[in-house]
PDB file of all heavy atoms in Angstrom:
ATOM      1  N   GLY A 100     150.719 -42.032-114.559  1.00 95.00           N
ATOM      2  CA  GLY A 100     150.425 -40.753-115.173  1.00 95.00           C
ATOM      3  C   GLY A 100     151.695 -39.988-115.516  1.00 95.00           C
ATOM      4  O   GLY A 100     152.799 -40.377-115.148  1.00 95.00           O
ATOM      5  N   GLY A 101     151.508 -38.862-116.210  1.00 92.00           N
ATOM      6  CA  GLY A 101     152.636 -38.030-116.615  1.00 92.00           C
ATOM      7  C   GLY A 101     152.466 -37.503-118.029  1.00 92.00           C
ATOM      8  O   GLY A 101     153.425 -37.433-118.787  1.00 92.00           O
ATOM      9  N   GLY A 102     151.235 -37.168-118.386  1.00 90.00           N
ATOM     10  CA  GLY A 102     150.972 -36.506-119.659  1.00 90.00           C
ATOM     11  C   GLY A 102     151.417 -37.321-120.854  1.00 90.00           C
ATOM     12  O   GLY A 102     151.315 -38.547-120.875  1.00 90.00           O
ATOM     13  N   LEU A 103     151.909 -36.621-121.856  1.00 92.00           N
ATOM     14  CA  LEU A 103     152.274 -37.299-123.099  1.00 92.00           C
ATOM     15  C   LEU A 103     153.520 -38.161-122.933  1.00 92.00           C
ATOM     16  O   LEU A 103     153.713 -39.118-123.677  1.00 92.00           O
ATOM     17  CB  LEU A 103     152.498 -36.268-124.211  1.00 92.00           C
ATOM     18  CG  LEU A 103     151.253 -35.493-124.634  1.00 92.00           C
ATOM     19  CD1 LEU A 103     151.598 -34.470-125.716  1.00 92.00           C
ATOM     20  CD2 LEU A 103     150.171 -36.438-125.124  1.00 92.00           C
ATOM     21  N   ARG A 104     154.371 -37.841-121.974  1.00 95.00           N
ATOM     22  CA  ARG A 104     155.498 -38.730-121.703  1.00 95.00           C
ATOM     23  C   ARG A 104     154.960 -40.083-121.255  1.00 95.00           C
ATOM     24  O   ARG A 104     155.370 -41.126-121.743  1.00 95.00           O
ATOM     25  CB  ARG A 104     156.432 -38.169-120.617  1.00 95.00           C
ATOM     26  CG  ARG A 104     157.632 -39.110-120.334  1.00 95.00           C
ATOM     27  CD  ARG A 104     158.324 -38.840-118.994  1.00 95.00           C
ATOM     28  NE  ARG A 104     157.440 -39.068-117.855  1.00 95.00           N
ATOM     29  CZ  ARG A 104     156.861 -38.131-117.151  1.00 95.00           C
ATOM     30  NH1 ARG A 104     157.077 -36.867-117.429  1.00 95.00           N
ATOM     31  NH2 ARG A 104     156.047 -38.434-116.156  1.00 95.00           N
ATOM     32  N   ALA A 105     154.029 -40.038-120.311  1.00 96.00           N
ATOM     33  CA  ALA A 105     153.497 -41.282-119.756  1.00 96.00           C
ATOM     34  C   ALA A 105     152.770 -42.095-120.829  1.00 96.00           C
ATOM     35  O   ALA A 105     152.891 -43.325-120.863  1.00 96.00           O
ATOM     36  CB  ALA A 105     152.557 -40.968-118.600  1.00 96.00           C
ATOM     37  N   ALA A 106     152.050 -41.412-121.697  1.00 97.00           N
ATOM     38  CA  ALA A 106     151.335 -42.134-122.748  1.00 97.00           C
ATOM     39  C   ALA A 106     152.328 -42.859-123.649  1.00 97.00           C
ATOM     40  O   ALA A 106     152.152 -44.032-124.001  1.00 97.00           O
ATOM     41  CB  ALA A 106     150.469 -41.167-123.555  1.00 97.00           C
ATOM     42  N   GLN A 107     153.404 -42.157-124.010  1.00 98.00           N
ATOM     43  CA  GLN A 107     154.407 -42.775-124.885  1.00 98.00           C
ATOM     44  C   GLN A 107     155.198 -43.851-124.149  1.00 98.00           C
ATOM     45  O   GLN A 107     155.545 -44.889-124.711  1.00 98.00           O
ATOM     46  CB  GLN A 107     155.351 -41.706-125.436  1.00 98.00           C
ATOM     47  CG  GLN A 107     154.651 -40.738-126.367  1.00 98.00           C
ATOM     48  CD  GLN A 107     155.589 -39.640-126.855  1.00 98.00           C
ATOM     49  OE1 GLN A 107     156.260 -39.798-127.859  1.00 98.00           O
ATOM     50  NE2 GLN A 107     155.642 -38.539-126.125  1.00 98.00           N
ATOM     51  N   TRP A 108     155.489 -43.593-122.886  1.00 98.00           N
ATOM     52  CA  TRP A 108     156.157 -44.603-122.075  1.00 98.00           C
ATOM     53  C   TRP A 108     155.313 -45.880-122.035  1.00 98.00           C
ATOM     54  O   TRP A 108     155.816 -46.991-122.223  1.00 98.00           O
ATOM     55  CB  TRP A 108     156.409 -44.068-120.660  1.00 98.00           C
ATOM     56  CG  TRP A 108     156.509 -45.147-119.612  1.00 98.00           C
ATOM     57  CD1 TRP A 108     155.565 -45.491-118.690  1.00 98.00           C
ATOM     58  CD2 TRP A 108     157.626 -46.028-119.393  1.00 98.00           C
ATOM     59  NE1 TRP A 108     156.012 -46.538-117.927  1.00 98.00           N
ATOM     60  CE2 TRP A 108     157.274 -46.888-118.319  1.00 98.00           C
ATOM     61  CE3 TRP A 108     158.879 -46.189-119.998  1.00 98.00           C
ATOM     62  CZ2 TRP A 108     158.131 -47.884-117.841  1.00 98.00           C
ATOM     63  CZ3 TRP A 108     159.727 -47.183-119.520  1.00 98.00           C
ATOM     64  CH2 TRP A 108     159.357 -48.015-118.454  1.00 98.00           C
ATOM     65  N   GLY A 109     154.024 -45.689-121.827  1.00 98.00           N
ATOM     66  CA  GLY A 109     153.122 -46.836-121.751  1.00 98.00           C
ATOM     67  C   GLY A 109     153.149 -47.633-123.053  1.00 98.00           C
ATOM     68  O   GLY A 109     153.281 -48.860-123.055  1.00 98.00           O
ATOM     69  N   ALA A 110     153.051 -46.924-124.177  1.00 98.00           N
ATOM     70  CA  ALA A 110     152.999 -47.609-125.467  1.00 98.00           C
ATOM     71  C   ALA A 110     154.299 -48.367-125.729  1.00 98.00           C
ATOM     72  O   ALA A 110     154.292 -49.533-126.135  1.00 98.00           O
ATOM     73  CB  ALA A 110     152.731 -46.603-126.579  1.00 98.00           C
ATOM     74  N   ALA A 111     155.413 -47.700-125.503  1.00 98.00           N
ATOM     75  CA  ALA A 111     156.700 -48.316-125.847  1.00 98.00           C
ATOM     76  C   ALA A 111     157.051 -49.450-124.895  1.00 98.00           C
ATOM     77  O   ALA A 111     157.607 -50.474-125.308  1.00 98.00           O
ATOM     78  CB  ALA A 111     157.803 -47.255-125.852  1.00 98.00           C
ATOM     79  N   SER A 112     156.733 -49.302-123.615  1.00 98.00           N
ATOM     80  CA  SER A 112     157.067 -50.379-122.686  1.00 98.00           C
ATOM     81  C   SER A 112     156.122 -51.562-122.905  1.00 98.00           C
ATOM     82  O   SER A 112     156.546 -52.719-122.816  1.00 98.00           O
ATOM     83  CB  SER A 112     157.072 -49.895-121.230  1.00 98.00           C
ATOM     84  OG  SER A 112     155.820 -49.353-120.873  1.00 98.00           O
ATOM     85  N   LEU A 113     154.864 -51.281-123.235  1.00 98.00           N
ATOM     86  CA  LEU A 113     153.964 -52.400-123.547  1.00 98.00           C
ATOM     87  C   LEU A 113     154.410 -53.109-124.824  1.00 98.00           C
ATOM     88  O   LEU A 113     154.296 -54.325-124.938  1.00 98.00           O
ATOM     89  CB  LEU A 113     152.514 -51.924-123.695  1.00 98.00           C
ATOM     90  CG  LEU A 113     151.800 -51.530-122.400  1.00 98.00           C
ATOM     91  CD1 LEU A 113     150.400 -51.025-122.711  1.00 98.00           C
ATOM     92  CD2 LEU A 113     151.738 -52.692-121.408  1.00 98.00           C
ATOM     93  N   SER A 114     154.931 -52.352-125.777  1.00 98.00           N
ATOM     94  CA  SER A 114     155.388 -53.004-127.016  1.00 98.00           C
ATOM     95  C   SER A 114     156.539 -53.964-126.711  1.00 98.00           C
ATOM     96  O   SER A 114     156.682 -55.002-127.353  1.00 98.00           O
ATOM     97  CB  SER A 114     155.781 -51.951-128.062  1.00 98.00           C
ATOM     98  OG  SER A 114     157.159 -51.889-128.258  1.00 98.00           O
ATOM     99  N   ALA A 115     157.318 -53.628-125.680  1.00 98.00           N
ATOM    100  CA  ALA A 115     158.411 -54.516-125.273  1.00 98.00           C
ATOM    101  C   ALA A 115     157.898 -55.788-124.595  1.00 98.00           C
ATOM    102  O   ALA A 115     158.635 -56.771-124.464  1.00 98.00           O
ATOM    103  CB  ALA A 115     159.365 -53.775-124.343  1.00 98.00           C
ATOM    104  N   LEU A 116     156.641 -55.751-124.156  1.00 98.00           N
ATOM    105  CA  LEU A 116     156.057 -56.929-123.485  1.00 98.00           C
ATOM    106  C   LEU A 116     155.049 -57.634-124.383  1.00 98.00           C
ATOM    107  O   LEU A 116     154.329 -58.539-123.950  1.00 98.00           O
ATOM    108  CB  LEU A 116     155.387 -56.496-122.178  1.00 98.00           C
ATOM    109  CG  LEU A 116     156.246 -55.664-121.217  1.00 98.00           C
ATOM    110  CD1 LEU A 116     155.426 -55.260-119.991  1.00 98.00           C
ATOM    111  CD2 LEU A 116     157.489 -56.434-120.787  1.00 98.00           C
ATOM    112  N   ASP A 117     155.002 -57.204-125.659  1.00 98.00           N
ATOM    113  CA  ASP A 117     153.963 -57.660-126.581  1.00 98.00           C
ATOM    114  C   ASP A 117     154.505 -58.801-127.448  1.00 98.00           C
ATOM    115  O   ASP A 117     155.469 -58.615-128.194  1.00 98.00           O
ATOM    116  CB  ASP A 117     153.547 -56.471-127.456  1.00 98.00           C
ATOM    117  CG  ASP A 117     152.421 -56.800-128.419  1.00 98.00           C
ATOM    118  OD1 ASP A 117     151.984 -57.971-128.467  1.00 98.00           O
ATOM    119  OD2 ASP A 117     151.979 -55.869-129.131  1.00 98.00           O
TER     120      ASP A 117
END
Side-chain angles (χ1 to χ4, degrees):
L103 294 178
R104 180 198 63 257
Q107 293 177 89
W108 154 256
S112 58
L113 287 178
S114 108
L116 307 178
D117 183 357

